[in-house]
């Protein structure tokens, strides 16, 4: 006689683990089934080489919701943030560099090297973003209202949203521009120094198959100034022990509350009986029964691969088929014998230039050129590189004196042009080019590389189960946000199949290690009993 769980959760990503912990805390029997041998999805630490513990996908955190840290007592379960100061370092080909970070005086001094006016404007620009964040941030942990529903609760929620928008006053126009527009016009309005604009612009394209001149990138830019690290807004930090430190802490909290979690447990099919989800069938044929099935994997996998789309209303299945999973992000994880010694700011041991994100992207035109080739299916000649060295702050992730580096890079198209050569050739060429670019700024770099792995969008798809290698479980463009995520009319974590829910980044508020999707989903699931 098989057990009947209250809830089965597909996938052990950080969002799924958050949902599991909240459901278990509310007394529900919960079973989490993760395909891989480790938990966390994109928020994992993997020991790629002995002693080198690498955050193989996500690498910095700021967005994770403070209410979840408190509710689940994640610090007691081992979660620790290491705030970064400075938070960014941009070396330029002419030998100059720009450091920026939470230290406001240092940032002012640094930007003044390029423009006095920009140094004065940055705090005003950040204050504007913070006012807009005050409007947007509370919506992250709310279920989006459904504008097509006349239910009184919905109408009330829409009214509340309209009133808080009204409170923004003339910043309302800025909020709309941030939600819909391109990053470039905003940056051009505020700043004159190309060095500063290029540094900020790289954040506008993270995970997007787009350039800062394209609509929708302003929101990605904004996404990266939200969040907090130990209570300080906009500060990004490393998780001690790598990103898996966070996922393991959530898993520990969930287990303590009674959740059962299985790894190496790939779900093959969602079982649907009489229009209701009744459990799952595993790849090895074992079946588990549950009152509710909750999917933490993306909408494409959930509805088109794990079930027969014929079970779904045709319009819904079509909307899922048309979701955008474009991606041009590749990750290169490296083991280093020493830190890069930058010609413009010397230092062979970890210093301010190593603690934050190292931006290798001198101008916004450089981004446009890198994208030009990618849109026709070729890897960029000169990719944009955001590199981090968490071992500069966290001695637990590398052998003594050695270092780990993450290079988050763009653009590596998911679909290569027919005459572009094989995937393996392209991966090798791309990674070697990235190493060369870093070596142009830090001559010791190439010989410091002990080993590396390259994750193209195809590898990201295969390893983490992300359709198209899209790091956000679906593009974060306006037409796929809020009440339209994953598809219009189904942004409340429920699906057309009774008893089947979504809880991953495919839902509002989307990608990033926020936990908010899992948190909101748990609230709605518990509301249904
Ligand atoms: C390369 C990369 C870099 C990133 N960098 C950052 C960053 O620095 N900071 C940040 O905030 N965000 C970053 N992101 C985005 C962020 O990591 C993700 O948006 C977020 O972690 C998604 O979490 P999730 O729990 O919703 O789903 P996922 O992490 O996608 O988890 C889904 C899980 O489901 C499992 N699964 C899939 N199919 C099945 C199946 N059939 N049966 C069982 N299990 C299954 C998968 O193995 C996976 O563990 C990055 C993502 C990537 C890929």
């Amino acid at each position: 006689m098989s057990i009947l769980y209250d809830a089965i959760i597909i996938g052990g990503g950080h969002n799924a683990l958050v949902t599991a912990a909240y459901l278990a805390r509310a007394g529900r029997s919960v079973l989490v089934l993760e395909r891989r041998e480790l938990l966390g999805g994109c928020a994992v630490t993997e020991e790629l080489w002995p002693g080198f513990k690498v955050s193989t996908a996500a690498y910095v955190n700021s967005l994770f919701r403070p209410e979840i840290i408190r509710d689940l007592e994640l610090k007691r379960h081992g979660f620790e943030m290491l705030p970064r100061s400075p938070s960014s370092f941009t070396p330029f080909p002419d030998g100059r560099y720009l450091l920026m970070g939470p230290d406001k005086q240092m940032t002012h001094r640094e930007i003044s090297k390029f423009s006095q006016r920009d140094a004065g404007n940055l705090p005003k620009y950040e204050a504007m973003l913070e006012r807009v964040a005050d409007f947007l941030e509370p919506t992250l942990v709310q279920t989006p209202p459904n504008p097509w529903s006349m239910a009184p609760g919905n109408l009330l929620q829409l009214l509340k949203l309209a009133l808080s928008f009204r409170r923004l006053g003339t910043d309302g126009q800025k909020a709309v521009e941030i939600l819909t527009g391109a990053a470039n016009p905003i940056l051009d309005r505020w700043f004159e120094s190309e060095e500063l604009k290029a540094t900020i612009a790289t954040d506008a394209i993270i995970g997007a198959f787009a350039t800062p001149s394209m609509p929708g990138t302003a929101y990605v830019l904004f996404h990266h100034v939200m969040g907090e690290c130990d209570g300080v807004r906009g500060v990004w930090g490393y998780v001690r022990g790598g990103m898996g430190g966070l996922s393991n802490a959530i898993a520990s909290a969930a287990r303590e509350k009674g959740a059962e979690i299985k790894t190496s447990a790939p779900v093959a099919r969602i079982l649907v009986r009489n229009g209701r989800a009744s459990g799952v069938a595993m790849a090895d044929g074992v079946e588990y029964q549950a009152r509710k099935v909750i999917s933490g994997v993306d909408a494409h996998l959930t509805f088109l691969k794990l079930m027969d789309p014929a079970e779904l209303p045709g319009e819904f299945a079509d909307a899922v088929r048309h979701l955008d999973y474009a991606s041009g992000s590749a990750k290169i994880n490296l083991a280093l014998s020493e830190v890069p010694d930058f010609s413009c700011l010397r230092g062979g041991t970890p210093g301010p230039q190593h603690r934050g994100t190292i931006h290798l992207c001198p101008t916004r035109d450089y981004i446009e050129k890198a994208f030009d080739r990618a849109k026709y299916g070729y890897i960029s000649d000169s990719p944009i590189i955001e590199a981090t060295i968490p071992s500069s702050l966290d001695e637990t992730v590398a052998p003594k004196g050695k270092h780990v580096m993450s290079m988050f890079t763009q653009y590596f198209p998911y679909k290569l042009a027919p005459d572009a050569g094989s995937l393996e050739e392209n991966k090798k060429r791309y990674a070697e080019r990235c190493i060369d670019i870093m070596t142009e700024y830090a001559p010791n770099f190439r010989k410091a590389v002990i080993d590396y792995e390259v994750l193209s969008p195809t590898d990201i798809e295969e390893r983490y189960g992300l359709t198209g290698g899209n790091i956000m479980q679906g593009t974060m463009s306006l037409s796929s946000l809020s009440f339209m995520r994953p598809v219009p009319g189904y942004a409340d974590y429920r699906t057309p199949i009774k008893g089947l829910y979504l809880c991953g980044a495919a839902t509002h508020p989307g990608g990033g290690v926020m936990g908010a999707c899992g948190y909101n989903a748990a609230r709605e699931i518990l509301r249904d009993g």
Side-chain angles (χ1 to χ4, degrees), residues 208-528:
F209 198 60
T211 69
S213 62
M214 292 162 72
T217 48
Y219 182 74
V220 185
L221 181 79
F222 182 69
H223 209 72
H224 285 83
V225 298
M226 279 197 294
E228 60 174 63
C229 182
D230 285 342
V232 190
R233 182 178 259 173
V235 175
W236 288 73
Y238 300 122
V239 175
R240 187 179 289 286
M243 291 300 278
L246 172 59
S247 301
N248 292 337
I250 310 169
S252 163
R255 283 198 183 101
E256 187 182 82
K257 308 220 172 335
E260 195 182 325
I261 302 178
K262 286 188 201 289
T263 52
S264 305
V267 171
R269 217 153 31 87
I270 296 169
L271 303 173
V272 180
R273 270 191 209 110
N274 305 323
R276 213 191 148 83
S278 61
V280 297
M282 307 302 289
D284 62 7
V286 172
E287 292 191 0
Y288 295 104
Q289 311 300 320
R291 291 188 179 86
K292 293 188 167 85
V293 175
I294 302 152
S295 172
V297 308
D298 70 36
H300 173 88
L301 291 175
T302 304
F303 298 111
L304 306 181
K305 299 285 177 208
L306 293 181
M307 57 187 291
D308 180 357
E311 310 259 16
L312 297 160
E315 209 180 312
F316 179 88
D318 277 345
V320 173
R321 279 190 196 100
H322 297 144
L323 287 174
D324 182 3
Y325 290 101
S327 171
S329 310
K331 184 96 188 293
I332 306 172
N333 296 310
L334 304 104
L336 303 179
S337 59
E338 58 186 352
V339 290
D341 186 1
F342 292 97
S343 310
C344 63
L345 184 59
R346 299 297 309 269
T349 52
Q353 66 275 44
H354 301 111
R355 286 187 218 125
T357 301
I358 301 159
H359 295 253
L360 300 186
C361 171
T363 63
R364 290 172 300 162
D365 271 353
Y366 180 101
I367 306 178
E368 298 292 335
K369 285 184 191 133
F371 188 66
D372 279 348
R373 281 177 55 81
K375 67 187 179 206
Y376 298 111
Y378 302 96
I379 53 173
S380 303
D381 278 338
S382 292
I384 295 117
I385 301 173
E386 285 207 352
T388 46
I389 310 175
S391 49
S392 64
L393 283 180
D394 181 358
E395 71 292 349
T396 69
V397 293
K400 202 169 166 40
K402 308 261 193 306
H403 290 278
V404 285
M405 177 186 269
S406 268
M407 279 188 184
F408 189 92
T409 69
Q410 290 184 186
Y411 301 88
F412 193 124
Y414 174 71
K415 271 201 188 123
L416 288 168
D419 63 348
S422 74
L423 178 61
E424 285 313 311
E425 277 162 30
N426 277 279
K427 279 168 63 175
K428 179 86 181 152
R429 199 150 30 92
Y430 187 86
E432 289 296 318
R433 179 69 189 127
C434 289
I435 292 172
D436 280 343
I437 293 173
M438 184 66 82
T439 307
E440 283 164 21
Y441 293 96
N444 71 327
F445 187 68
R446 176 165 279 286
K447 74 170 191 341
V449 175
I450 301 170
D451 208 344
Y452 67 81
E453 70 159 7
V454 195
L455 298 174
S456 69
T458 308
D459 300 302
I460 291 175
E461 177 173 64
E462 281 167 11
R463 190 183 290 184
Y464 308 101
L466 293 166
T467 301
N470 185 291
I471 72 163
M472 306 291 190
Q473 286 198 4
T475 308
M476 300 274 284
S477 57
L478 183 65
S479 58
S480 296
L481 287 176
S482 185
F483 57 86
M484 290 172 284
R485 193 170 185 90
V487 298
Y490 293 94
D492 63 357
Y493 308 91
R494 296 171 183 85
T495 71
I497 305 288
K498 282 201 188 70
L500 177 64
Y501 300 79
L502 291 182
C503 72
T507 62
H508 169 79
V513 183
M514 273 189 273
C517 306
Y519 175 85
N520 292 343
R523 184 182 58 241
E524 293 302 326
I525 293 161
L526 289 171
R527 202 170 270 166
D528 286 352

Side-chain angles (χ1 to χ4, degrees), residues 14 17-18 21 64 72 74 77 245-255:
H14 82 283
L17 294 170
V18 167
F64 196 77
L72 301 181
L74 294 185
H77 289 280
L246 172 59
S247 301
N248 292 337
I250 310 169
S252 163
R255 283 198 183 101

